[in-house]
């Protein structure tokens, strides 16, 4: 499957970190949007309906867990695979993220830009990402 048309949303408040991951994903052929806070991330997810979302936990305005909760009750976003990408790896936080519907919980300290691209590819290759649903 070609990744050229696949759209990934990166919800990350650190511009340097966002730029690093965005660059690698774009080099892999993905279209990448970046949201700098939780409210913007939720709005962009609802409007653009990307095929995959990398979501930070500690975000301004609305934390990542709240974003994930809101996405899972919204028909426009509940189907989108979300991978949490965070600096915080406390077991209760990881368990909560997975319970709320994240597919994976990745630690930034253990996830290089190449690792992020590999995770995106794994969802693409598995057929876990489907065509964008038609707007209602």
């Amino acid at each position: 499957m070609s990744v050229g048309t696949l759209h990934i949303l990166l919800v990350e408040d650190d511009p340097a970190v966002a730029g690093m991951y965005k660059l690698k994903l774009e080099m892999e052929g993905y279209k990448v949007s970046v949201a700098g806070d939780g409210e913007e991330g939720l709005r962009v997810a609802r409007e653009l309906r990307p095929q995959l979302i990398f979501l930070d936990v500690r975000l301004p305005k609305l934390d990542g867990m709240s974003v994930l909760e809101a996405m899972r009750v919204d028909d426009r976003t509940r189907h989108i695979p979300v991978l949490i990408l965070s600096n915080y790896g406390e077991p209760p936080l990881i368990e909560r993220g997975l319970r709320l519907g994240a597919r994976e919980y990745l630690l930034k300290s253990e996830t290089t830009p190449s690792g992020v691209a590999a995770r995106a590819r794994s969802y693409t290759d598995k057929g876990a990402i489907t065509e964008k649903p038609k707007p209602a």
Side-chain angles (χ1 to χ4, degrees), residues 99-113:
R99 192 175 60 249
L100 289 173
R103 299 277 180 96
E104 294 184 50
Y105 195 110
L106 307 170
L107 293 176
K108 290 178 186 172
S109 62
E110 299 170 4
T111 310
T112 63

Side-chain angles (χ1 to χ4, degrees), residues 57-117:
V57 172
R58 305 279 190 233
L59 294 165
K61 298 187 181 178
L62 189 64
D63 70 85
M65 295 299 178
S66 297
V67 171
L68 186 56
E69 279 182 296
M71 285 182 59
R72 290 303 173 235
V73 298
D74 188 323
D75 287 337
R76 296 169 290 182
T77 56
R78 74 170 36 137
H79 69 283
I80 302 171
V82 174
L83 303 172
I84 292 175
L85 184 58
S86 178
N87 283 322
Y88 301 93
E90 296 82 9
L93 197 57
I94 294 170
E95 290 167 19
R96 181 172 178 224
L98 296 173
R99 192 175 60 249
L100 289 173
R103 299 277 180 96
E104 294 184 50
Y105 195 110
L106 307 170
L107 293 176
K108 290 178 186 172
S109 62
E110 299 170 4
T111 310
T112 63
S114 292
V116 166

